[in-house]
Amino acid sequence: MNKKYRGVNQLNFPPEAVWIGSSHPFDLHEAYLCFRSPTTWQLERKPDQAKLFITADSRYKLWTNGQFVGRGPGRSYPQHQCVDCLDLTAHLQAGANTLAVQVYQPGYSHFAYVHRGVAGLLAHLVCDDQTTLVTALTWRTRRAPSFADLVPRVSIYGSGVEERDLRLADDWITPNYDDSNWAIPRLVAPVGGYPWLELRLRAVPLLVERELPMTLLETRLLISSPASRRPLRVVSSSDAHSALRQGWFSAVPAPQLAPDETGWIKVNLAAGESAYWLFDLGRDYTCQGWADVKGAGGEEQLAMSYQEKIHHGKLVIS
């Protein structure tokens, strides 16, 4: 047995499973790729146990029948690609089912991932000990139209910023979405092919994602002068970290803005004005933040930063 295939055989990926990618071989720079399972895929009954073995280069998000399931894979070198095993038992049903996967590929290496100039998705689903679905050319793919590809990198530790035009977003993760005009994916590599020579099952636990309550500590406003309606101080920087720091220390402390009965924090801002909120998570977490903005006009900017230092009750932004 060739040593480089040993990890593949341990995970029992069937030979018909292949790495699939964008229909265009050069979709590699800040590429958000969408994949959907075949519309003809059917299950005769709801399985008693369903396990999905899935990996992607470099990151994926998975929805099953429109419900978010998880993200991954664990960090790894391509030559020892990490594979996640996800329990889909509660998400599948008899009849038609839809797996929707978003794969992100920045197109360059950084401190979190190493890239070899390729992007791909590999998966196979085992229902009651029988392989029922694999990634193949029967899937459909497209590049997500709402994500911009010309975005700057803000750190050597990760990838670029995320810039989206939500007017171009649609409900492609839902089961009844019509993907008939999508492209046939490109066969990037067979199981065990370069650069993913060996597949290894994830060694660390899967992420457990949950929403946490946040305590609002402070509100600040950077507003215009009522007389001139001009900004009190212009905050301008091409660096996202510097702009946030300048804005926070330039802003004026304001009364706390509490959510209304529907949960929205409402603030009326004119062009060039900014509002800042400082929340406490209660402890250090590995986390992500998100916000729903109601009534956006399309030119707003939202910046989120994670800070750990408080000195004499004051926030320290390095």
Side-chain angles (χ1 to χ4, degrees), residues 45-72:
R45 63 178 181 86
K46 180 178 174 60
D48 294 326
Q49 185 182 63
K51 292 183 178 180
L52 178 71
F53 295 87
I54 181 172
T55 187
D57 193 340
S58 64
R59 301 201 294 268
Y60 73 84
K61 293 180 180 178
L62 169 70
W63 294 264
T64 302
N65 293 328
Q67 299 298 311
F68 179 72
V69 177
R71 71 187 74 224

Side-chain angles (χ1 to χ4, degrees), residues 23-245:
S23 60
H24 197 297
F26 299 114
D27 272 342
L28 292 176
H29 181 73
E30 294 294 345
Y32 291 83
L33 307 176
C34 305
F35 296 91
R36 284 174 56 90
S37 58
T39 56
T40 57
W41 176 51
Q42 301 273 333
L43 289 176
E44 294 183 359
R45 63 178 181 86
K46 180 178 174 60
D48 294 326
Q49 185 182 63
K51 292 183 178 180
L52 178 71
F53 295 87
I54 181 172
T55 187
D57 193 340
S58 64
R59 301 201 294 268
Y60 73 84
K61 293 180 180 178
L62 169 70
W63 294 264
T64 302
N65 293 328
Q67 299 298 311
F68 179 72
V69 177
R71 71 187 74 224
R75 288 167 57 186
S76 58
Y77 288 105
Q79 62 267 29
H80 305 297
Q81 184 69 22
C82 181
V83 177
D84 295 340
C85 180
L86 305 179
D87 187 351
L88 297 191
T89 307
H91 300 277
L92 297 178
Q93 60 192 9
N97 292 268
T98 301
L99 268 61
V101 187
Q102 181 193 82
V103 173
Y104 169 65
Q105 166 66 278
Y108 46 77
S109 299
H110 47 72
F111 278 16
Y113 291 92
V114 174
H115 300 286
R116 300 296 187 214
V118 286
L121 170 69
L122 176 69
H124 82 106
L125 177 65
V126 179
C127 295
D128 299 329
D129 298 324
Q130 297 291 324
T131 295
T132 60
L133 180 70
V134 299
T135 46
L137 301 188
T138 53
W139 287 53
R140 289 294 181 266
T141 186
R142 72 168 184 187
R143 184 161 181 157
S146 65
F147 290 87
D149 57 349
L150 298 178
V151 293
R153 291 183 67 180
V154 296
S155 172
I156 61 174
Y157 300 102
S159 50
V161 300
E162 183 179 283
E163 184 175 325
R164 298 188 68 185
D165 185 345
L166 293 177
R167 295 171 296 182
L168 301 178
D170 54 24
D171 58 352
W172 69 276
I173 65 172
T174 57
N176 296 325
Y177 180 83
D178 182 9
D179 60 12
S180 58
N181 63 340
W182 285 25
I184 297 173
R186 183 171 51 91
L187 195 161
V188 180
V191 174
Y194 180 84
W196 309 288
L197 302 179
E198 183 179 13
L199 303 178
R200 295 183 177 182
L201 197 61
R202 186 185 185 114
V204 297
L206 290 164
L207 291 173
V208 176
E209 300 188 38
R210 60 189 184 275
E211 294 185 20
L212 295 175
M214 300 189 299
T215 301
L216 181 60
L217 297 182
E218 187 175 352
T219 301
R220 292 190 177 194
L221 297 175
L222 183 60
I223 61 176
S224 301
S225 167
S228 65
R229 297 302 297 169
R230 290 181 298 179
L232 295 175
R233 179 176 177 181
V234 177
V235 177
S236 176
S237 175
S238 60
D239 179 79
H241 304 288
S242 297
L244 186 61
R245 184 180 191 277

